[in-house]
Amino acid sequence: MTHNDDRVAGLLLAAGGGRRLGGRPKALLEHRGRPLVEYAAGVLRAAGCARIHVVVGARAETVRERAELPGCVLVDNPDWEEGMGSSLRAGLESLRGTGAGAALVSLVDQPGIGPEAVARLLAAHRSPATLASASYDGRRGHPVLLGADHWAGIAATATGDRGARAYLKEHADAITLVECADVAQPFDIDTVADLAHLEQHPG
């Protein structure tokens, strides 16, 4: 679909324990007959991310056993219960020294966001100073592209479940918004009712 861009690494946050799903880790939910984490990593690869780091936490050993993630670097987040912020910090730290100039951060529980949206965001990358975000009818959402110049500032403010939100709010004027509503649906799989969004049979 697009040329592979070594400068932008895919960073998939897949450590959550699925508290509102009765403690079912989101990475292991079934989508099209395979673990959701496998599908989400495949989206990043199909969009053109040559390097993909996957942050795992809840039932990490089971994720490693069940999910086929060839070529992906699995990053353990022992502090996953603290929330998404800890996973973002662990993921960005794992990319230091890899030569990546930016991280394209996606969430494992958004299967409505496919390669088309991710590829659009990759195309917004210009330099390590780039900040870009998918938007849906003008509202900022995921995935986000975080240039390496910003990683230290993001890591310093990523607490609880806020991830990069505080940093992005502070630097709103610098963010390139990439409209994706025509090719993606940004719903989350957070509750049992949301499980209806998953396709239980091979698609």
Side-chain angles (χ1 to χ4, degrees):
M1 179 174 301
T2 178
H3 67 289
N4 281 349
D5 192 334
D6 291 325
R7 295 165 305 160
V8 181
L11 180 55
L12 177 59
L13 304 186
R19 193 173 58 241
R20 285 185 285 169
L21 290 166
R24 278 186 281 178
K26 294 180 179 182
L28 293 170
L29 294 174
E30 187 179 309
H31 183 57
R32 300 183 181 180
R34 299 298 306 162
L36 190 54
V37 65
E38 205 175 289
Y39 173 80
V43 166
L44 290 173
R45 182 167 285 112
C49 291
R51 172 182 290 275
I52 299 171
H53 285 210
V54 180
V55 182
V56 294
R59 293 182 54 199
E61 285 309 310
T62 309
V63 174
R64 287 174 184 272
E65 285 166 20
R66 285 200 201 158
E68 292 178 21
L69 298 165
C72 295
V73 175
L74 269 67
V75 179
D76 282 299
N77 174 18
D79 302 319
W80 62 268
E81 289 185 81
E82 291 177 14
M84 193 207 305
S86 64
S87 290
L88 182 58
R89 289 197 307 274
L92 291 176
E93 179 63 30
S94 75
L95 289 172
R96 278 176 33 163
T98 64
L104 192 144
V105 182
S106 70
L107 308 180
V108 75
D109 67 343
Q110 293 192 316
I113 298 174
E116 295 86 359
V118 177
R120 283 187 189 179
L121 206 55
L122 280 176
H125 177 248
R126 297 286 177 271
S127 75
T130 300
L131 282 177
S133 168
S135 65
Y136 300 90
D137 298 323
R139 291 192 54 175
R140 189 164 58 74
H142 278 91
V144 293
L145 189 143
L146 309 173
D149 289 356
H150 302 280
W151 292 355
I154 290 165
T157 55
T159 55
D161 269 327
R162 281 171 35 181
R165 199 179 312 156
Y167 188 90
L168 293 176
K169 198 170 177 183
E170 204 176 301
H171 296 81
D173 293 347
I175 299 172
T176 300
L177 291 181
V178 180
E179 184 57 48
C180 292
D182 58 318
V183 293
Q185 295 176 296
F187 56 80
D188 300 321
I189 308 292
D190 276 335
T191 66
V192 173
D194 296 332
L195 294 173
H197 284 303
L198 295 173
E199 296 173 31
Q200 296 301 342
H201 303 290

